[in-house]
Amino acid sequence: MGEAPPDWAESYRAGQTPWDLGAAHPELARRLQDGSLAPPASGGRALVPGAGRGHDALALARRGWTVVALDLVETLADDLAGPLSRSGGRFVAGNALEFEDEPFDLIWDHTFFCAIDPADRARWGQRAGELLRPGAVYAALVFPFGKPAAEGGPPHGMSGDHLAEVLAARLEVVEEAEALRKVPARRWGERFFLARRRPMGLTPTP
Ligand SMILES: C[S@@+](CC[C@H](N)C(=O)[O-])C[C@H]1O[C@@H](n2cnc3c(N)ncnc32)[C@H](O)[C@@H]1O
């Protein structure tokens, strides 16, 4: 028998949220600071799937992104919806696998991909590709990197290759690097991953 899917709402209700760093991820903070994840000069739309308590979403909003923070757990809106709406963004309670909206310039995925069932990964890859405009980027914190697949989940082990594979129809990997980590560090590795959506009509190189 497979493992029961996580009850995310119950984890938040019970305060059992070991994934929550209590602040924006240091790698995101660094890239917002150095401008490498800055919004376009004309303004940019960022989607944060599996936003949790929204530390990253709020950091993006503070740097000028118009942020849509998306999570299955409705009660997360209590603390997040107000601050996001003040910067033109919003919180959406819903399933990222079914989410539709205007195109985004950035998807920031921090321990979201590892939270979805591996059977749903291809579906998310397609959704993400459709949600990004050509030239837009999918930036992710790849975690837990190096966790043996046999250890199962949740969260499910993953590597940048897993992400690259499901995004391949529309996106090309442009960077994979060691991520700046919080001290004390999480038990498994973390890497930064960046893929860019190809211009319309361009097909992946074989
Ligand atoms: C491991 S937590 C990470 C939360 C946040 N990114 C952070 O780093 O604190 C995964 C989050 O994804 C949300 N989630 C899981 N599956 C989802 C789905 N299909 N659509 C939207 N959110 C989902 C959970 O409710 C949870 O908040």
Side-chain angles (χ1 to χ4, degrees), residues 6-9 11-12 17-23 25 48-56 70-74 76 92-99 108-117 120 124 141 143 155 186:
D7 184 339
W8 298 105
S11 298
Y12 284 104
T17 54
W19 56 82
D20 189 324
L21 297 182
H25 192 282
V48 184
R53 294 199 176 90
H55 310 297
D56 293 343
L70 172 65
D71 204 287
L72 282 176
V73 179
E74 285 176 32
L76 293 167
V92 177
N95 186 346
L97 303 173
E98 290 160 11
F99 182 64
W108 170 250
D109 163 355
H110 175 192
T111 56
F112 168 67
F113 190 76
C114 71
I116 52 177
D117 191 306
D120 288 327
W124 168 243
L141 230 289
F143 173 84
R186 285 170 164 161

Side-chain angles (χ1 to χ4, degrees):
M1 223 170 83
E3 204 162 336
D7 184 339
W8 298 105
E10 174 54 22
S11 298
Y12 284 104
R13 198 202 57 73
Q16 297 294 324
T17 54
W19 56 82
D20 189 324
L21 297 182
H25 192 282
E27 183 63 33
L28 175 65
R30 169 163 79 178
R31 286 176 185 261
L32 288 173
Q33 184 70 37
D34 72 14
S36 56
L37 277 184
S42 54
R45 281 167 46 75
L47 173 66
V48 184
R53 294 199 176 90
H55 310 297
D56 293 343
L58 292 170
L60 286 158
R62 281 194 294 273
R63 282 278 159 178
W65 287 96
T66 301
V67 179
V68 176
L70 172 65
D71 204 287
L72 282 176
V73 179
E74 285 176 32
T75 52
L76 293 167
D78 298 350
D79 294 326
L80 200 45
L84 279 179
S85 69
R86 283 193 280 282
S87 58
R90 67 191 207 276
F91 175 85
V92 177
N95 186 346
L97 303 173
E98 290 160 11
F99 182 64
E100 291 181 20
D101 201 350
E102 298 298 310
F104 289 91
D105 301 283
L106 167 71
I107 291 178
W108 170 250
D109 163 355
H110 175 192
T111 56
F112 168 67
F113 190 76
C114 71
I116 52 177
D117 191 306
D120 288 327
R121 286 177 173 177
R123 199 166 144 211
W124 168 243
Q126 180 171 345
R127 202 74 294 282
E130 288 167 2
L131 284 165
L132 289 169
R133 64 161 182 77
V137 294
Y138 188 112
L141 230 289
V142 174
F143 173 84
F145 182 78
K147 182 179 181 183
E151 290 211 13
H156 308 284
M158 64 176 288
S159 73
D161 289 349
H162 293 121
L163 201 43
E165 189 182 322
V166 301
L167 295 174
R170 291 188 173 81
L171 286 93
E172 211 144 33
V173 180
V174 290
E175 185 182 349
E176 211 188 316
E178 207 54 50
L180 195 62
R181 305 184 69 168
K182 192 163 184 266
V183 179
R186 285 170 164 161
R187 182 166 169 226
W188 299 100
E190 296 182 76
R191 287 180 72 75
F192 176 76
F193 170 100
L194 192 73
R196 187 175 300 281
R197 177 142 184 209
R198 287 182 211 90
M200 292 292 213
L202 281 191
T203 49
T205 36

